[in-house]
Amino acid sequence: MNYFIRDAVREKLAAIKVIECRDVDYETAKVEIAGYFLMKGEAYASDASTDLQLDYVLVCKIMDDLEKEGKMEPVK
């Protein structure tokens, strides 16, 4: 039983990847995020963060701002 758990933990740890966030200014990130969602249609903020290598909190803030500006709509 312990071998199974140990192997499962090792497998999960091997699957984890570290995402290095790029250091870009707000406006550049906003343009990239808007373009990302135009291309993808629907995606999670975490997907955009990973794919664009941008900080998750920044992506969420920009998505909120784009929604307030009427440039993005939440999926219902």
Side-chain angles (χ1 to χ4, degrees):
M1 179 75 157
N2 287 337
Y3 294 112
F4 175 74
I5 294 170
R6 190 176 310 143
D7 288 344
V9 169
R10 284 184 181 147
E11 187 177 308
K12 291 293 181 189
L13 288 173
I16 294 173
K17 63 180 180 177
V18 176
I19 304 298
E20 291 193 30
C21 294
R22 296 179 299 126
D23 185 23
V24 297
D25 64 87
Y26 177 89
E27 289 303 320
T28 301
K30 188 174 180 181
V31 169
E32 289 183 14
I33 291 166
Y36 179 85
F37 282 97
L38 280 174
M39 181 182 73
K40 290 281 188 176
E42 290 182 17
Y44 292 104
S46 58
D47 294 335
S49 174
T50 300
D51 292 346
L52 298 173
Q53 295 179 308
L54 295 172
D55 179 71
Y56 177 76
V57 174
L58 176 64
V59 171
C60 291
K61 179 180 180 356
I62 290 174
M63 287 175 66
D64 287 343
D65 292 347
L66 288 170
E67 185 180 337
K68 289 175 188 169
E69 296 169 10
K71 297 178 181 174
M72 178 180 272
E73 293 182 14
V75 177
K76 296 178 183 177

